[in-house]
Amino acid sequence: MTVPDRTSTPSETLTALEEIYAKVKRVQRDLRPSDRIVQDLGVDSLATLEILLALEERFGVALVDNPRTAGTATVGDLVGLLDELRADRAS
């Protein structure tokens, strides 16, 4: 099991998301905060679940059962939510 990373900066969070996206979608691509997850990145419901589970494991936060996750439409939204959840957990 991966030890959750609670010390990363937003750019490190984006880098982690890029790594997970590349693994799930098998596409190496730089992600931009404005990228829409479904429309621009072509992430379907199964890939979304895989990405969220991988992010949960990597950062030690709950995303799949979190109602706030439903409001994430862009990469920037997801990175922001991850950073908020990690900050809440640290306090």
Side-chain angles (χ1 to χ4, degrees):
M1 183 165 142
T2 306
V3 176
D5 178 1
R6 294 185 183 87
T7 61
S8 63
T9 63
S11 62
E12 291 176 80
T13 304
L14 182 59
T15 300
L17 181 55
E18 287 175 341
E19 291 169 6
I20 291 168
Y21 174 78
K23 183 177 180 182
V24 170
K25 292 295 287 182
R26 293 171 177 65
V27 174
Q28 192 68 33
R29 180 186 190 287
D30 289 338
L31 302 181
R32 296 177 305 272
S34 62
D35 284 334
R36 295 171 298 171
I37 296 169
V38 175
Q39 296 88 342
D40 298 331
L41 302 179
V43 177
D44 62 18
S45 58
L46 180 58
T48 297
L49 183 59
E50 288 180 66
I51 290 168
L52 293 178
L53 289 171
L55 290 168
E56 283 185 344
E57 183 176 331
R58 176 111 178 221
F59 293 110
V61 297
L63 290 169
V64 174
D65 294 331
N66 189 324
R68 292 169 54 193
T69 304
T72 57
T74 67
V75 167
D77 294 340
L78 185 54
V79 168
L81 177 60
L82 279 166
D83 291 338
E84 287 175 31
L85 293 173
R86 290 178 24 240
D88 290 348
R89 185 177 174 148
S91 57

